[in-house]
Amino acid sequence: MHLIMEKKETVAIIGGGLSGSLLACCLAKRGFKVSLYERRGDFRETGYLGGRSINLALSERGINALKKVNLADSVLDDAIAMNGRVMHSVAGELSYQPYGKAGQYINSVSRSGLNLKLIELADEFENVTLYFNYKCIDADLKNNTAIFETAEGEKVSVKADIMLGTDGAFSAIRSEMQHTERFNFSQQYENYGYKELEIVPGPDNKFMLEEHALHIWPRGEFMMIALPNPGGNFTCTLFMPYTGVNGLDKLKTEDDVKVFFNKYFADALPLMPGYIHDFFNNPTGSLLTVRCSPWVRGRFALVGDAAHAVVPFYGQGMNCSFEDVAVLDELIDKHYPDWDKVLSEYQDARIDNANAIADLALKNFVEMRDLVGHKDFLEFKHIEHDLCDLYPDKFKSQYELTTFTNMPYRYAWNQGFKNEQLIKAIISEGLKEKLEDRELMNKMFEKYL
Amino acid sequence: MHLIMEKKETVAIIGGGLSGSLLACCLAKRGFKVSLYERRGDFRETGYLGGRSINLALSERGINALKKVNLADSVLDDAIAMNGRVMHSVAGELSYQPYGKAGQYINSVSRSGLNLKLIELADEFENVTLYFNYKCIDADLKNNTAIFETAEGEKVSVKADIMLGTDGAFSAIRSEMQHTERFNFSQQYENYGYKELEIVPGPDNKFMLEEHALHIWPRGEFMMIALPNPGGNFTCTLFMPYTGVNGLDKLKTEDDVKVFFNKYFADALPLMPGYIHDFFNNPTGSLLTVRCSPWVRGRFALVGDAAHAVVPFYGQGMNCSFEDVAVLDELIDKHYPDWDKVLSEYQDARIDNANAIADLALKNFVEMRDLVGHKDFLEFKHIEHDLCDLYPDKFKSQYELTTFTNMPYRYAWNQGFKNEQLIKAIISEGLKEKLEDRELMNKMFEKYL
């Protein structure tokens, strides 16, 4: 049982997914009276339903936020480190590209396991009350009130001093905000769907592909990826356009799917005994980007996917959401009890960065499904990697800034373009054998970075 | 009374503004049984309420659509031709830029007068039924049903074979679509508000500024414009950022407003006796761009502002909406009774063009409030104008394509950028005295257009 410092404002958190449950812990630690309302049943009893992908890549920003509630170590204990990408060519040849320097890796974690840990921790605070089967159906933004429908069909009105919408990409709270004055909003779907499939473990739960890597089968217009799970299996995700030459609409029969997988994923196929069943029985996921502004109306604020759903290709959706929580927590520390200041600085600090990671994630889709399959690109990445290694204080890659630091996403976005100009110049000026010439490189850095 | 050809499908039109009432006339002419539902009361009795600006600029696309119901001549009879822009400098100096060649002009028309004419015409068809005070509050997209609330608070469910949402920028039908699978949507507000003001007529309803022009007071970050009305007055609109050095928030007292107008609009001020009253009593308008895709779900389709609200700076909002109606009408002519084809070709033909005019309108805001006040820009426009005159078959300006033709907006957008490269080259290569050299110019056209 954690210590409650004093009786402060009441906070209602709408949505008990990853952001909501972490937020509940952070605010409870600060002594607020927290009520958390979750649409689904209690996953501790019913098992975990819904949510998007099965596993997620936890990195620095997420870890940094989990440290605030002392949960980072326990989560990382159950994670699998992924040091880089292994690309599988059509012919089954492998190539490798490390994510960063030695010791820099991302962590494959289970969405359900992590959510469970966070809910369990929240429940340990006596100043947190959890409400399951509470579906938010309406909100009165001017009166700090949200309306829920319970499993029994009862309507319950909830009022708190601070109302935080962590209700995900299809947020009911954001829907209400959308009808307020001058609310900017966009929801944009990619013309791609995805199917989750599985690579099974070998005998004794042996990993049948390199364990400490994210695997990619880049095929230009489409791709499959695989992330390792502690059970020895890999969660595979196949991303394809809905329609067209390589469209999901072309895979109508079992034969269509067999021919397609044999042609493009021959090396993985023997490891995927259930792929046909999974292909036809798993739902087709969609890829959504949500942007909005403002994130705050009165005493309501959006946090996590409710404010900024991003496509999964940078592995930053959860990390960005957790960073929202960390920033909000730090601003409470700084400005409490001035909630106007807390909330307005929160959105000022986050909106542009959320737009930046949304753009980075869209850009990375092209990189993953297409570019990583090209020699030129791997050469580019090789130079980038060497520069990171040789000049750790002066040169950081966009991936490093995004994944292994807490620098603003917008900075990573901008710096990435500068890096690109630098590396293009190194190649075009024939300097790629001279990366160790510090004097020369320092001049290049001055010119381009 | 117009002739009814035969009994065909029922069509419900949700929204009786400009697009809805024109659409009702077009479809009635084709013999459909049309019901039109309007949120407001019958403007023929109550006077005209709501809607955005008081007057609008009717041009080729709108005229072309009005011809389909033989209303173009009568509307143009009540319009005032505007041949170009008159720019007013801070010192009160005037400069002039024609919109096109001789005989090309845009038409200042009254929104209420035009809507009235369209509703009156619709009412003449015995196969049109008008319902006023019917506010759409919900829709069942799968069952061709819309739910309305009447003035008495009664709820009425309406089902028709074809359901057309012409319910404007805040469309209830589009709101329903937003919650369907993979619906792309964005609403984006500019950081600018506007106030409508008035320049009054002189004795005997004399126009106190040049009658056949759109007047602009370009001030860089902000601007005022004025459009002539048949009564001899001008409707002025002041566009300013909400906040900042030149923000609306700086004009708090009558003195603030007086000082501001004296400084920036001194030549207009004596003609605007009510400006202080109007400034403080008229609502502050906002500037919204709405984009979405698809526009069709089942037998529901969006038409006009419901599908594509644009900012007013190209004078194309109504013209684009009327073009939707014309295109839909032509596709019915072509494919009826294959409604799947009609509706899918309708959205394929319109969505990208609506995005293009949305972008053109945003671009034109910068041109109007800032660029037209600069000599360089006017020189650029001068060369463009001469090229239009000298080479009418080979060179058309972006403005001409947008305003005086029915070519796709996207084509105008693309062509505008090519024109820009051409004219920049003419200037940088010192050819602006050689525009009449046909051989030389033909080479330039080949290179740039």
Side-chain angles (χ1 to χ4, degrees), chain A residues 178-183, chain B residues 39 52 136 166-176 185 187 189 286-290 305-307 309:
Chain A
Q178 198 194 306
H179 298 105
T180 61
E181 211 184 339
R182 288 201 278 141
F183 188 76
Chain B
R39 185 172 48 84
R52 286 184 298 176
C136 181
T166 51
D167 49 344
F170 302 96
S171 169
I173 302 300
R174 191 190 63 226
S175 272
E176 282 308 306
F185 171 71
Q187 61 183 41
Y189 287 87
S286 59
L287 297 168
L288 171 62
T289 301
V290 170
D305 280 8

Side-chain angles (χ1 to χ4, degrees), chain B residues 352-404:
Chain B
D352 186 48
N353 285 310
N355 286 332
I357 190 59
D359 290 330
L360 281 165
L362 289 166
K363 184 166 166 271
N364 228 37
F365 187 24
V366 184
E367 181 168 322
M368 288 177 81
R369 71 170 199 254
D370 192 359
L371 301 181
V372 295
H374 295 289
K375 262 192 175 170
D376 286 359
F377 181 79
L378 293 179
E379 184 195 33
F380 181 101
K381 284 285 169 188
H382 201 82
I383 296 170
E384 186 184 73
H385 185 251
D386 285 350
L387 291 173
C388 286
D389 263 354
L390 289 162
Y391 307 94
D393 298 333
K394 298 201 169 165
F395 182 89
K396 289 191 194 305
S397 73
Q398 192 175 62
Y399 192 88
E400 183 179 5
L401 288 165
T402 303
T403 308
F404 302 123

Side-chain angles (χ1 to χ4, degrees), chain B residues 209-358:
Chain B
L209 298 175
E210 163 56 40
E211 173 186 355
H212 292 291
L214 187 151
H215 294 263
I216 311 183
W217 290 258
R219 297 295 179 262
E221 206 190 0
F222 62 99
M223 71 171 176
M224 185 168 76
I225 65 170
L227 276 79
N229 295 312
N233 63 332
F234 288 81
T235 307
C236 300
T237 317
L238 171 65
F239 297 91
M240 288 173 72
Y242 286 102
T243 55
V245 182
N246 296 304
L248 282 163
D249 64 336
K250 297 292 177 297
L251 304 182
K252 284 185 190 126
T253 66
E254 294 199 359
D255 259 6
D256 295 340
V257 176
K258 267 186 206 164
V259 169
F260 181 81
F261 273 74
N262 264 302
K263 181 168 175 190
Y264 291 114
F265 311 121
D267 67 335
L269 207 51
L271 314 173
M272 305 176 71
Y275 78 104
I276 290 184
H277 174 269
D278 291 349
F279 185 89
F280 287 106
N281 288 279
N282 286 349
T284 304
S286 59
L287 297 168
L288 171 62
T289 301
V290 170
R291 304 168 200 253
C292 65
S293 165
W295 289 4
V296 175
R297 285 291 193 208
R299 285 292 184 268
F300 273 85
L302 303 175
V303 178
D305 280 8
H308 53 71
V310 303
V311 296
F313 304 109
Y314 223 115
Q316 285 294 315
M318 168 183 66
N319 291 289
C320 179
S321 296
F322 280 4
E323 193 175 50
D324 291 348
V325 175
V327 167
L328 190 55
D329 187 64
E330 282 153 25
L331 287 167
I332 292 169
D333 200 43
K334 197 167 160 193
H335 298 307
Y336 182 79
D338 186 344
W339 279 102
D340 282 339
K341 213 164 182 175
V342 168
L343 296 179
S344 82
E345 287 196 14
Y346 160 69
Q347 66 176 343
D348 287 351
R350 297 303 294 159
I351 293 178
D352 186 48
N353 285 310
N355 286 332
I357 190 59

Side-chain angles (χ1 to χ4, degrees), chain A residues 175 178-192 242 286, chain B residues 175 178-192 242 286:
Chain A
S175 271
Q178 198 194 306
H179 298 105
T180 61
E181 211 184 339
R182 288 201 278 141
F183 188 76
N184 294 307
F185 172 70
S186 91
Q187 60 183 43
Q188 188 72 38
Y189 288 87
E190 299 311 295
N191 290 322
Y192 277 77
Y242 286 102
S286 59
Chain B
S175 272
Q178 198 194 307
H179 297 105
T180 61
E181 212 183 336
R182 289 201 279 142
F183 188 75
N184 296 307
F185 171 71
S186 89
Q187 61 183 41
Q188 188 72 38
Y189 287 87
E190 298 312 296
N191 290 324
Y192 277 78
Y242 286 102
S286 59

Side-chain angles (χ1 to χ4, degrees), chain A residues 258-328:
Chain A
K258 267 185 205 163
V259 168
F260 181 82
F261 273 74
N262 264 300
K263 183 168 173 189
Y264 291 113
F265 310 122
D267 67 334
L269 207 51
L271 314 173
M272 304 175 71
Y275 77 105
I276 290 184
H277 175 270
D278 291 348
F279 186 88
F280 287 106
N281 288 279
N282 286 349
T284 304
S286 59
L287 297 168
L288 171 62
T289 301
V290 170
R291 305 169 200 252
C292 65
S293 164
W295 290 2
V296 175
R297 285 291 192 207
R299 284 294 185 265
F300 273 85
L302 303 174
V303 178
D305 280 8
H308 53 70
V310 303
V311 296
F313 304 109
Y314 222 114
Q316 284 294 316
M318 169 183 65
N319 291 291
C320 178
S321 296
F322 281 3
E323 193 175 51
D324 290 349
V325 175
V327 167
L328 190 54

Side-chain angles (χ1 to χ4, degrees), chain A residues 117-186:
Chain A
K117 274 190 182 161
L118 286 164
I119 282 288
E120 280 168 353
L121 179 61
D123 210 7
E124 284 182 30
F125 289 89
E126 71 172 23
N127 51 334
V128 171
T129 314
L130 304 176
Y131 297 86
F132 292 97
N133 295 306
Y134 270 63
K135 181 186 174 190
C136 181
I137 53 168
D138 202 358
D140 179 347
L141 301 178
K142 287 185 179 155
N143 290 304
N144 287 24
T145 304
I147 316 290
F148 297 88
E149 194 174 75
T150 67
E152 293 77 35
E154 200 191 342
K155 287 189 182 156
V156 181
S157 170
V158 170
K159 190 169 175 150
D161 298 318
I162 305 294
M163 309 286 296
L164 300 172
T166 50
D167 49 345
F170 302 97
S171 168
I173 302 300
R174 191 190 62 227
S175 271
E176 282 308 306
M177 288 190 181
Q178 198 194 306
H179 298 105
T180 61
E181 211 184 339
R182 288 201 278 141
F183 188 76
N184 294 307
F185 172 70
S186 91

